[in-house]
Amino acid sequence: MLSTFFWCVLASAAGAFGATLPERDQFDQSSYSSKNVVQTDFAIIGGGAAGTYAAIALKDRKKTFTLVEIADRLGGNTRTFRDPSTGAVVDFGLQIHLDAPIVRNFFSRLNTALAQVQLSDFGRPKYFDFTQRVALPNYVKGNVGADYVAQLNKYSYLDDLNNLPAQVPSDLLLNWPDFAKKVGLSENSTEGGLTWPATPGNPLSTTALAIFNDGNHIELAEFQGAGVHAANHDNSQIYRNALAEIQANVLLQSSIVAAKRGPTPDRGVRLVANTPTGKKLISAKQLIIAFPYTPDQTNVFGLDSKEQSILSKISGKYYYGGVVNNTNLEAGVAYTNAGANTPYHAASLPGVVEIAPSASPGYFFYWYNTVSPLARTQIESSTRSTIKFLQSQIKATASEPNFVDFQDFSPFHLGPGNSDIADGWYTKMKGLQGYRNTWYISSMFVVGSTQLWNNTANILPSIIEAANQH
């Protein structure tokens, strides 16, 4: 899961900047002191899985780059809680990578050991309807079977929507229950398709295209014994190690507030960055967008009508996570939400998806799914209520849960609407690669860091070739 990246454009900062420096001057190098002018081959915006991979790969090719990241860390949806006083370490974002060469090579490059994932580490499931407040002791979750795999195999491009044809089969745009009925999927496979980890939004209205793109061949392999994670249960270590290595080329807690992108490679791009130490002018040969490019986050790049017609169609979903202790919940149990009376036992929204044990005793992580945005206080209040309910169900001593970390993963699982998909949106989006010296490597076509790293590795030669034409 969890391969998306966090980016937030500070429009107010852009307005304030415009008020202090005329627009005609903000891209003029002479308007800045020398220490605030950056000349580089590549500007990477976003330091999640794709952005960090691109930075390290470019460094290894002896290319120059500047990476701009809104957060105070790298890693995006890979999120790890670390408590130095107790030694507790809890991954509560991305959990698993595929045991593949690109994963092993990247972890090795960043001096981080890997270990095989044991699915038992995530706990023995016990099912409850968190909305109806009832236990489901006799419920057995359905899992996808051979009929699911046969449908996945039928549409070979579903693992990576870069390969989606312009004419998308209409069946794939049906919601999942309707698709399952039409093709005759078994009850188990239909239910299993609705319960992939970290699938946001209402599962009953999610399209077959989205279900298969999430629950693809890589996801299947990871849950059939081919999954790996950091041996120390700290998937964020590779990003801390990366930051230590490239820190001189990284602007943390920074954002782009203005951009000028040339129409041809020889014109390059100029970006104005708002940083903790003041405004900087970045002149680069090519721009790499590695953050979730929803409309409110891309308008600052001065989109033309072609770009606007494509990028304006994108939206994301809402998903949250956190870490909690002092719960008195049973060790080694994953408390999982399922509907008592809903179709295919789909969990009702909004609500906790699961409260799962971590590698650190006493610490649990949880995920929270909703169709509309919620504040941290609302989510933790709801999760606290759910934990209190579980305490009563298992006859645990009542205790006050202690919430120690939180992450808003939104916007999550980006994509356009069905009518735009039917109109060939993914083909149009792919056609934007390299247009106006701009490239897109965020989680639009794939989910999961393994695929993001693969796709980034595949497109980097084209990005470098374009820069060589500058």
Side-chain angles (χ1 to χ4, degrees), residues 266-278:
D266 61 296
R267 301 289 293 276
V269 300
R270 289 198 167 194
L271 309 168
V272 180
N274 186 29
T275 80
T277 60

Side-chain angles (χ1 to χ4, degrees), residues 157 159-165 426-427 430 433 445-446 455:
Y157 40 76
D159 288 354
D160 182 351
L161 300 183
N162 270 298
N163 304 315
L164 192 68
Y426 281 95
T427 299
K430 187 176 178 181
Q433 295 290 20
F445 300 95
V446 297
N455 282 10

Side-chain angles (χ1 to χ4, degrees), residues 388-429:
K388 294 281 192 179
F389 158 69
L390 292 172
Q391 289 173 348
S392 69
Q393 288 293 301
I394 65 174
K395 296 180 170 48
T397 302
S399 62
E400 188 60 31
N402 179 36
F403 292 88
V404 297
D405 209 346
F406 177 83
Q407 181 65 51
D408 180 354
F409 296 115
S410 316
F412 199 48
H413 284 212
L414 302 179
N418 275 6
S419 61
D420 295 305
I421 296 174
D423 192 39
W425 184 91
Y426 281 95
T427 299
K428 296 174 185 176
M429 183 67 217

Side-chain angles (χ1 to χ4, degrees), residues 71 150 198 311 336 405:
L311 296 175
T336 306
D405 209 346

